[in-house]
Amino acid sequence: MKLWMEIHLIVAETPPSPGTMSNQTLVTEFILQGFSEHPEYRVLLFSCFFFLYSGALTGNVLIILAITFNPGLHTPMYFFLFNLATMDMICTSSIMPKALAGLVLEGGAISYRGCMTQLYFLTWAASSELLLLTVMAYDRYAAICHPLHYSSMMSKAFCSGLAAAVWLLCAVNTAIHTGLMLRLYFCGPNVITHFFCEVPPLLLLSCSSTYVNSVMIVLADAFYGIVNFLTTVASYGFIISSILKVRTVGGRQKAFSTCSSHLTVVCMYYTAVFYAYISPVSGYSARKSKLAGLLYTVLSPTLNPLIYTLRNKEVKAALRKLFPFFSN
């Protein structure tokens, strides 16, 4: 699940009695606040979001095509990069069309069902990306620390199993959290202080108890945040130690170049997440959540293809072969 890493539990409200609920109108749609507090920037925001969204789709599609049609890139590292590009496309596509429409139409209405659907696909892709980054760190660990056993450690069957496990585990986890959200009552107000449907602001709008949801969020955060982060740090600890043991400068540079792109992406992603959800503040901050949301749902999917292509000769060569009009 996407990292909602607020350490505290959202205070559970007393569920309304059946008699009280019958006299209240349940919410059938939500209003995404978006960036309505800054109407003077509407055109600028639309232009920036449209540019970033177009760049994210174009870049990730090119990565997928280059890996698919170039047999030389059918290796574990590029197999996981293929999955990462797919996750990025799902992540940004789950929110940007609605966000762009809200900026054009000056309204952010989204149906209850649409909100829950957006919540599911966004958290599925975002949590899968987080878990996949850990898997990719392990792949780089195997390649650099155990080069002689890399083929056996990262066999085709093992890599396929890891990717399938990432998608399936995150799909089941997200289904649980979405199911818990569906059991809640929303009887007003219905304004979500974000530009997409996210769990923390939705819980604040519920008029029923959110205790179970909050407990499950903390458990998911412990796994997706703490465990994944520590595993990634441990992998790169071993990687850096192995690189430092290489005697030649050229050898060290070559070894580091194989993992520098992934390390850049990991640092960028965790920086955005930690900024929003680990900071020592009390309560949910709409401003910080919007900024972090922009970073890992829009900016990150746009920059990831650039990071991997600009620093990777093999990907650039595959793109030139597939699209000859790419300059040298």
Side-chain angles (χ1 to χ4, degrees), residues 75-151:
T75 62
M77 181 174 71
Y78 296 110
F79 171 73
F80 293 128
L81 179 57
F82 177 96
N83 280 266
L84 182 66
T86 304
M87 293 172 185
D88 277 339
M89 291 180 62
I90 295 175
C91 181
T92 190
S93 295
S94 65
I95 64 167
M96 285 313 299
K98 190 65 181 179
L100 290 171
L103 289 170
V104 171
L105 302 176
E106 299 186 4
I110 183 172
S111 67
Y112 176 85
R113 180 175 296 181
C115 185
M116 295 300 111
T117 301
Q118 184 185 76
L119 177 69
Y120 180 85
F121 281 101
L122 173 64
T123 54
W124 182 28
S127 60
S128 296
E129 179 169 349
L130 190 61
L131 198 57
L132 184 64
L133 289 175
T134 303
V135 172
M136 294 174 74
Y138 175 76
D139 171 69
R140 294 299 83 205
Y141 158 78
I144 294 175
C145 299
H146 302 282
L148 299 180
H149 303 284
Y150 179 71
S151 298

Side-chain angles (χ1 to χ4, degrees), residues 13-34:
E13 301 178 26
T14 303
S17 62
T20 303
M21 184 60 67
S22 63
N23 295 327
Q24 293 177 315
T25 301
L26 294 180
V27 169
T28 58
E29 72 173 16
F30 295 100
I31 303 298
L32 294 172
Q33 184 188 65

